[in-house]
Amino acid sequence: MGALSYSMFPENGEVHKKKTITEALDIRNTWDRFDSGWYEKLAREGYPQRQFTDKDQETWGFMPLYPAVMSIVSGITGLSLFTSGLLISNFCTFLAMLFLYKLSEEKFGKGIRTVTLLMISAGGFYLNIVYPSGLFVLLTTIVFYFSYKEKFAWALIIAGLASVTRIQGCLLLIIPGIEILLKYRQSSYKFLPAVLLGLLPMISLMFYLYLTSGEPLAFIKIQHAWGSSDLFPLQGFLSVFSGVRPGGSLTNACFWVIILGSVLYCYKRLPLSYIIFTVLYVLISTSNELLYGSARYMLGMLPVFIAISISPYYIRQIFILINILFLSLMISAFVTNTMTFL
């Protein structure tokens, strides 16, 4: 689909040029776009060693774990950073689907169905390209599975790694945290060392940014360079309906409504931690003035796919139809450098 779209459609703002089969099948030509270049730059150069400023776009806006792994794999294998990123994303996605299958099958009896729903979702292609989605989904599924198996200490530690893969990863501490409070309220203090280890990656990142740039929250404040104002929950929805600033996407707003509605519809069959995680995930992910990336962010929201898998047949079919349609549109938009639908 990507190669076909790349060969048939003009890139954003350019006159269409006919591409050869070799050009169309070149993975790098087709998929090395948008944030991929930023992750490669961060893997190659690290964060800037200078005073923080939000006047220009910089790698401060990207979390470090995925590019760090890219750099390690590239150094060991001799492969390019782009190729290393592809290998990491696809390997992590494979492992993530194994953990997701085990979680959903053992807890809900819907393993194959849940995995299928995630893989055909509108943002599913991000799992296989040079984006941190594959790694983030792997860490997320491990946290959910270890929490289900009551391996709470390991779940807290893995959640810490997820927090420096994508900012929403901080919310994963909620999954084992709530389960600990519900099941081990009197002895919850025993998990304090694991909680501290879970907080360590984010604290370390902030301390490093303070030492090298003078701004521990550089990864948040740099968003101004991409045209964002100060963040607050649900700001993206206001931009859709207020008309104050164009760019708020009604398509993305509809995706967020579907995401939240699907989990709330099945709230009686889902653990409390799943529901709280989903609500907070939506609040954080829509706090930007520009509402975008809903299909990509949805990949880390496992309760959504579990909720759809245990929903009535007609709901599953509507979800599948919408996602397959938008999967095609989003792939075409991505490979042609078009922000529409992304």
Side-chain angles (χ1 to χ4, degrees):
M1 173 64 72
L4 184 62
S5 298
Y6 179 65
S7 63
M8 290 181 60
F9 303 127
E11 297 196 36
N12 188 36
E14 297 183 7
V15 177
H16 179 53
K17 299 177 182 178
K18 186 176 181 180
K19 300 178 179 69
T20 66
I21 295 178
T22 302
E23 289 176 319
L25 295 179
D26 187 311
I27 296 177
R28 182 155 199 157
N29 276 345
T30 307
W31 295 105
D32 192 9
R33 299 171 185 276
F34 294 104
D35 292 350
S36 295
W38 285 109
Y39 286 110
E40 292 173 58
K41 181 179 180 181
L42 183 53
R44 183 172 54 252
E45 302 175 5
Y47 288 116
Q49 308 290 302
R50 55 181 172 81
Q51 186 64 34
F52 173 80
T53 174
D54 61 4
K55 296 185 182 298
D56 300 306
Q57 296 176 358
E58 256 299 352
T59 51
W60 285 310
F62 301 88
M63 303 305 269
L65 185 59
Y66 179 66
V69 178
M70 286 172 60
S71 182
I72 293 171
V73 171
S74 178
I76 293 174
T77 63
L79 297 171
S80 68
L81 289 171
F82 178 78
T83 303
S84 298
L86 288 178
L87 291 176
I88 294 165
S89 293
N90 284 274
F91 180 67
C92 288
T93 297
F94 173 73
L95 293 180
M97 295 307 102
L98 293 180
F99 276 101
L100 179 58
Y101 172 81
K102 289 174 66 66
L103 170 69
S104 185
E105 185 64 27
E106 294 175 19
K107 191 173 179 64
F108 301 96
K110 306 295 182 183
I112 292 294
R113 184 180 293 175
T114 306
V115 169
T116 302
L117 288 170
L118 191 150
M119 291 304 295
I120 59 92
S121 65
F125 69 95
Y126 284 104
L127 294 169
N128 308 114
I129 61 177
V130 184
Y131 266 66
S133 300
L135 175 59
F136 183 72
V137 172
L138 171 60
L139 296 174
T140 300
T141 54
I142 292 175
V143 171
F144 273 78
Y145 185 71
F146 279 3
S147 297
Y148 164 64
K149 289 296 187 179
E150 299 190 9
K151 297 179 180 180
F152 297 124
W154 282 110
L156 289 165
I157 292 171
I158 299 300
L161 294 176
S163 71
V164 290
T165 304
R166 182 177 288 168
I167 188 63
Q168 290 90 340
C170 296
L171 297 176
L172 285 170
L173 293 167
I174 291 172
I175 303 301
I178 290 179
E179 298 301 322
I180 289 171
L181 292 176
L182 292 176
K183 297 178 180 180
Y184 301 99
R185 182 174 300 178
Q186 300 300 323
S187 58
S188 59
Y189 65 90
K190 295 180 180 179
F191 295 96
L192 183 57
V195 171
L196 295 177
L197 286 174
L199 295 173
L200 184 59
M202 178 56 73
I203 293 174
S204 300
L205 172 62
M206 293 173 65
F207 183 64
Y208 176 80
L209 290 173
Y210 173 75
L211 291 178
T212 58
S213 71
E215 178 51 72
L217 296 177
F219 55 90
I220 293 177
K221 294 186 177 182
I222 192 62
Q223 300 306 319
H224 294 163
W226 274 269
S228 300
S229 61
D230 292 333
L231 307 180
F232 63 85
L234 302 179
Q235 182 177 195
F237 284 102
L238 297 179
S239 72
V240 173
F241 301 108
S242 67
V244 172
R245 177 176 181 136
S249 168
L250 184 60
T251 302
N252 281 282
C254 290
F255 260 100
W256 284 119
V257 171
I258 292 172
I259 288 168
L260 189 58
S262 63
V263 172
L264 295 180
Y265 178 81
C266 299
Y267 77 95
K268 291 183 179 180
R269 300 175 64 182
L270 295 174
L272 176 63
S273 58
Y274 286 29
I275 297 171
I276 294 176
F277 171 79
T278 301
V279 172
L280 293 179
Y281 197 110
V282 171
L283 291 177
I284 287 181
S285 301
T286 59
S287 62
N288 197 304
E289 189 172 7
L290 300 178
L291 197 62
Y292 64 95
S294 57
R296 171 162 49 99
Y297 293 140
M298 181 172 68
L299 295 171
M301 301 178 67
L302 300 190
V304 172
F305 302 102
I306 292 173
I308 297 296
S309 72
I310 60 179
S311 295
Y313 175 80
Y314 74 92
I315 291 180
R316 295 199 306 273
Q317 296 307 304
I318 293 174
F319 181 86
I320 290 172
L321 179 62
I322 291 174
N323 276 270
I324 289 179
L325 171 62
F326 277 95
L327 175 61
S328 302
L329 292 174
M330 288 183 179
I331 288 176
S332 297
F334 186 90
V335 301
T336 57
N337 278 331
T338 306
M339 284 297 296
T340 307
F341 303 119
L342 295 178

